[in-house]
Amino acid sequence: MVISKLDFSLMSWVEVTSLDDHVFFLNRDTQLSCSAKELGFMRGCVYFTQPNEMSLYKYDLEDN
């Protein structure tokens, strides 16, 4: 999984290697970023679902 952000000073996409205190929640229709500490989730992770499944998957960006 590769996460990028737009660097406005360079006007180019750069790869993100740390989400700091944030987590991402992704599915086919929704993308959401929240504070991990406020929600009690593990920081630096991407949580996602697959179509037609009831499972929640976790990808730790810093540990690959």
Side-chain angles (χ1 to χ4, degrees), residues 3 19 21-36 39 41 45-48:
I3 297 177
L19 298 177
D21 175 50
H22 287 84
V23 292
F24 286 163
F25 295 94
L26 307 174
N27 71 21
R28 187 183 330 173
D29 303 316
T30 306
Q31 302 82 41
L32 177 66
S33 174
C34 299
S35 166
L39 294 177
F41 278 80
C45 292
V46 178
Y47 294 88
F48 62 97

Side-chain angles (χ1 to χ4, degrees), residues 4-56:
S4 301
K5 68 177 180 178
L6 181 58
D7 183 329
F8 287 100
S9 64
L10 300 173
M11 290 309 292
S12 65
W13 291 98
V14 293
E15 186 175 343
V16 173
T17 57
S18 173
L19 298 177
D20 298 322
D21 175 50
H22 287 84
V23 292
F24 286 163
F25 295 94
L26 307 174
N27 71 21
R28 187 183 330 173
D29 303 316
T30 306
Q31 302 82 41
L32 177 66
S33 174
C34 299
S35 166
K37 184 177 180 180
E38 287 181 18
L39 294 177
F41 278 80
M42 187 175 164
R43 63 179 230 114
C45 292
V46 178
Y47 294 88
F48 62 97
T49 60
Q50 295 289 343
N52 302 317
E53 289 188 18
M54 297 295 293
S55 298
L56 180 65

